[in-house]
Amino acid sequence: MPQQSDEHLLSVFEKLNKLSFRRQQLMDRRNVLSMLIQFKRNNGQNEQEYSKETGELQQIDEDLKVLSDRKIELEKMQEGGSLLIDTTKSSSVIFVDSPPPFPAPQVILDVKQLPRHSSKTQCPFCRQYITTEVMTKAGSVTYLLCLISMVFCCVAGCCLIPFFVDSCKDVTHKCPKCRSNINTCKKF
Ligand SMILES: [Zn+2]
């Protein structure tokens, strides 16, 4: 599923690139045409004599408008929103953000706010943008739960269970590049 969306993003990105290129071509052509029209006008030609150029200029303006609409659409898609095109008015596009199945991966700059799973952040030691590696380690809560289960109901070593359950343990975020410990999320 993430691979598919990567490919999708890549194709959106390629389309955006092609679109910018096409836009540049049109802008160049537009500049040439305006100069030509200006030149003909200055030479005393009347409007009919350069109507072909004026017509092409208008066509280019329309094409440019379509392109910029398309560009907005693609940029929205790149941001992960899906869009609905209102067919009754072809020029108006309504964007509807689809609720993501999981929180969008965002770069968390405050390392103190890193969640208990691997996340994108900037390493405070090597200043690189990284996806943290997480390691779980028995923390005070783990020992506490172990103690409680020993006091109340220890049958067949169930006091050891907290040591095998990640959600009872502390989570340490590590930088995959410089191997520094970025932050530890204590259970309490
Ligand atoms: Zn680092």
Side-chain angles (χ1 to χ4, degrees), residues 28-117:
D28 290 346
R29 179 73 187 142
R30 197 180 179 282
N31 285 341
V32 172
L33 279 172
S34 340
M35 277 190 321
L36 203 65
I37 291 172
Q38 192 66 43
F39 178 77
K40 289 191 174 183
R41 198 181 284 152
N42 289 347
N43 280 313
Q45 294 189 14
N46 63 36
E47 269 186 49
Q48 263 127 25
E49 282 173 282
Y50 54 83
S51 62
K52 196 168 144 266
E53 283 83 358
T54 322
E56 198 185 336
L57 197 71
Q58 276 166 357
Q59 184 57 49
I60 286 176
D61 280 345
E62 274 166 35
D63 287 353
L64 279 172
K65 197 179 165 296
V66 172
L67 278 184
S68 58
D69 283 353
R70 181 86 186 114
K71 186 162 178 260
I72 294 168
E73 254 175 55
L74 285 171
E75 277 169 353
K76 272 280 165 184
M77 279 163 87
Q78 212 175 19
E79 281 161 23
S82 65
L83 60 153
L84 284 178
I85 294 164
D86 187 357
T87 41
T88 51
K89 283 177 274 168
S90 63
S91 63
S92 76
V93 179
I94 302 163
F95 297 105
V96 179
D97 283 328
S98 58
F102 49 86
Q106 44 170 190
V107 179
I108 300 162
L109 289 176
D110 184 0
V111 294
K112 294 265 175 278
Q113 306 210 324
L114 286 171
R116 289 177 59 83
H117 51 82

Side-chain angles (χ1 to χ4, degrees), residues 123 125-126 175 177-178 180:
C123 173
F125 302 99
C126 63
C175 170
K177 299 251 167 80
C178 68
S180 323

